[in-house]
Amino acid sequence: MRVHVSSARLLLFMLMGIFMGCSVEQNSFTSNLFHNTTAHYNGYYYAREKTYEVETIILKSLDDDPNQILRLFPRLDTILAKTYTKDTEEIIKMASLSIQRHPNSKWVDDNYVLVGKARLYASDFQNAIQTFKYVNTKSPDANTRHAALVQLLRTFTEQDDYDRAEETFRFLEKEKLSKVNQKDLYLEKAYYYQVRNNYDYMVRNLASADSLLQRKDRKGRIYFLIGQVYQKLGFDAEAFNYYRKCVAANPEYEIDFYARLNMAQVARLDEKKDIKKLRDQFEKMLTDTKNIEFVDKIYYELGEFDRKQGNLKQAIASYTSAAHAGTNKRIQGSAYLRIGQLEFDSLKKYSLAKLYYDSAIAALPKDFENYEDIKRRQEILGEFAKYTEAITWNDSLLALSAFDSLTVRTQLDSVVASRKIVEAPVKKKKKQANQSTGGNQNSSFFNTESTGTSDWYFGNPSAVALGQSEFQRIWGAIALEDNWRRSNKTTVINDLTIPVTKADGPNQPTTEEAKTTIAPDEVGKLISQIPRTAEQKAAALAKIEEGYFMLGDLYYFQLNEKENASESYSKLLQRFPGSDYEPEVLYKLYLISRDKDIAKAEQYATLLKTNHPQSTFTRILINPDYLRETSEAAEKQKLIYKEAYAYYQANNLRMAQEKIKLAMQEGNTGFTPQLELLKILIAGKTEDVTQYQYELSEYIKKYPDGELKPYAEQLLASSKTLLEKLERAKGIQFNNSMEGAHNFVIVYNTLDKITNPVSTALDKYNASQWKDLKLNTSNIIFNEDKTISVVIELPNRESALSYFDKFLAQIATAKPLSNYKFYSFVITKDNFQLFIEPKHWMSTSPSSTETIKSKINRFFKIEKTLDPQNGKVCVDWFSLFYAGLSVIHLYGKY
């Protein structure tokens, strides 16, 4: 009994000693063993397992698209973090308990690393940074510090804080790391460079990590990613090697499948047997039932293979099959895009390319690579179709114009008649081998010969693509299922009108295509459009000329395809030497060439300066700041011009000339033509009419493309017509003497009913400024359209001119006269009697029954434009008329 009690007491004392040795204050062997073991296999273990679970959830969030370069790590975000919030909280809780209960264990810093990871995965970046920095500062273990810094690098990368991320890995590169930390550093650096789109350094780090990778690191996926990057960078041999390593690593099936496809893309094809081997591989993949969900991708890669081999027809057929073989919108959109690119770049069928681009944009996700560039090309393809078809169509019409109408009609009628002939039976189709037992597509797409199905709708890729595009436009992207047309289905029915781009005529791009598209009722319409006269041919050539210019601009400005732009501009210059577009085209060719061919650019510059020295583009070439400088000078000229025009209206011609001279000193700008025309109009009132006409002629020659050229031509033509009429009116003999009394005359429209206001204004003017002369005002009905108010009588020439000048400056610009159109002049009293006496206005030509008075009346009807805001002026035509009578002319007031 005593032995038993003694043994029990001994055991009790031993247990008490152990528990007392496990106190957190103790630093004994037993205490350390207890805390290290408990901390490791309790709190740390459970926190680590939860961390693995969270990392698995994050990895599953990767939406891998093997057609694009895979992401090395998933992007962390708060939305994803909410799905595993309880797990990250549990990690922090378990790791924190382990730290609190076992503060002296060697797992404290490891628990802090787990806390930092939990905060990183929860997108709590600031607290994660503080945690990792704490570990780096406090941990006695170098490996744990390095592990914390690797996670700190990841945190900075997720925060887009690239400067601090680079500082972190630059520091770690100088440290001696364990294999695990070295591997993690390579991977984190690769991820950093991927986020920065630096694929060169990304693949270098991934390749460096190769020898350190373990199976849990998903080696096959990383090898596939390395192969993708090498392929993107153009290192096909390296890409092939890593794709092969990927397959050897036995990755998940989808990665394995795409690795094999990509191997075909980068494989060297030195001999025909290599090509045949790859075709056999594609055929085998198509017939493998395991690949049933990847058939669209296989066809797409087959199309890529054929495209690289130059087999465009087979490539288009394969792309078409890819678009219809599955439901993957990215692959479908990519297939349509490839066909559109081939139709646009290689086959030059812009209308068809537009339809495929429409389908591509409808299918592709907006995050697709270069999506905005693709959409921009899709939007402008309609313009391409318009101008290319305009060129082809008008070229065809011009070619047909070389034949007589009978020959053209005979040929077109024969084409229509041939369409009615019954087609010969289609030959028996060739036996198609290797048909899939699961109902997959057969291997006929691998045959290099024609399948003989071009007459069948589904054997014509273009017809199928157009049909599908039309179906989707009308019915929308609906699922293939029963009762798809039921009213309760969510479908959008768009406008049923099919958009067709035409170029001023039927949509036949070439005469060859016309043979298969012209309907019988269109033959006559086509023949009617063939240009026969010189004017019609010139109009057709003008459309071709415009087409080349606009195509060049579309390539240059919209698509940034300088080579194609240069080709289009060069064709314009070759076909249309001396074109109105030539200065602008030469300047654009100079800009295109100067970056890569200085000698060629200088040739264009020399041609521009030699042939078009006055062109705006020449001035820009010589002085790149020309537009800015001339814009400032033009604004100054406009301000001065308003002052000059005000003086011109007030008949202060000397001051008007001074202002124009001042404006011209600002240099030659886009506003200079307006100044020069006003100068000519002033000369028309101060110089001989012959000089006036000469200056107008020179102005028209100097500015053949100017906005005011039609107006100047109108002035010149009217002046010449006026002199001709005056020449025929020489039967009237006016007195050339300027001595004696004068009258002042105003002529206005009778329908304006301003006789009383005009008389009142003249009476007030006479009373205020000419009271001593005792002038009288009277009104005369000149004819049914015109009425005359006359001031009688001014004693001599000097007073008449003074009266006239002050009237223009003071009365003519005020109401009521400023609101109406009128003509004013001074005339000697004797000549005024001749002017109003009817018998003097009869034509001296027996063959003419028109009176001179009616001729004058027509001059009154000439429009008068006064618009100083636009810089347009005109001449007082009634004054010009009287210049011919040697009345106003002798006074210098015309």
Side-chain angles (χ1 to χ4, degrees), residues 545-559:
E545 182 182 6
E546 180 194 22
Y548 281 122
F549 179 78
M550 295 305 298
L551 283 177
D553 279 0
L554 288 172
Y555 277 123
Y556 191 22
F557 297 111
Q558 300 293 336
L559 297 179

Side-chain angles (χ1 to χ4, degrees), residues 443-488:
S443 61
S444 61
F445 294 95
F446 300 100
N447 297 332
T448 56
E449 300 177 358
S450 173
T451 60
T453 60
S454 60
D455 295 324
W456 185 47
Y457 174 81
F458 290 102
N460 187 333
S462 298
V464 172
L466 290 172
Q468 186 184 43
S469 176
E470 166 107 359
F471 182 87
Q472 289 184 349
R473 183 182 61 77
I474 297 174
W475 296 102
I478 62 176
L480 181 60
E481 58 186 1
D482 293 338
N483 302 318
W484 60 271
R485 294 182 66 179
R486 289 177 63 91
S487 60
N488 62 346

Side-chain angles (χ1 to χ4, degrees), residues 746-762:
I746 299 178
V747 183
Y748 46 87
N749 293 326
T750 303
L751 294 178
D752 289 341
K753 298 181 181 181
I754 58 172
T755 302
N756 290 335
V758 169
S759 297
T760 302
L762 290 174

Side-chain angles (χ1 to χ4, degrees), residues 202-252:
M202 173 192 177
V203 78
R204 292 185 189 185
N205 282 278
L206 288 177
S208 298
D210 182 5
S211 61
L212 302 173
L213 293 174
Q214 300 175 358
R215 185 168 183 80
K216 67 177 183 179
D217 297 315
R218 303 173 76 188
K219 291 173 62 174
R221 187 177 185 277
I222 292 178
Y223 288 149
F224 181 79
L225 176 54
I226 296 174
Q228 284 185 307
V229 177
Y230 272 131
Q231 184 177 356
K232 180 180 180 68
L233 297 177
F235 300 101
D236 288 351
E238 293 296 326
F240 185 87
N241 290 334
Y242 274 99
Y243 285 138
R244 187 165 55 185
K245 292 180 71 173
C246 170
V247 173
N250 194 24
E252 55 195 57

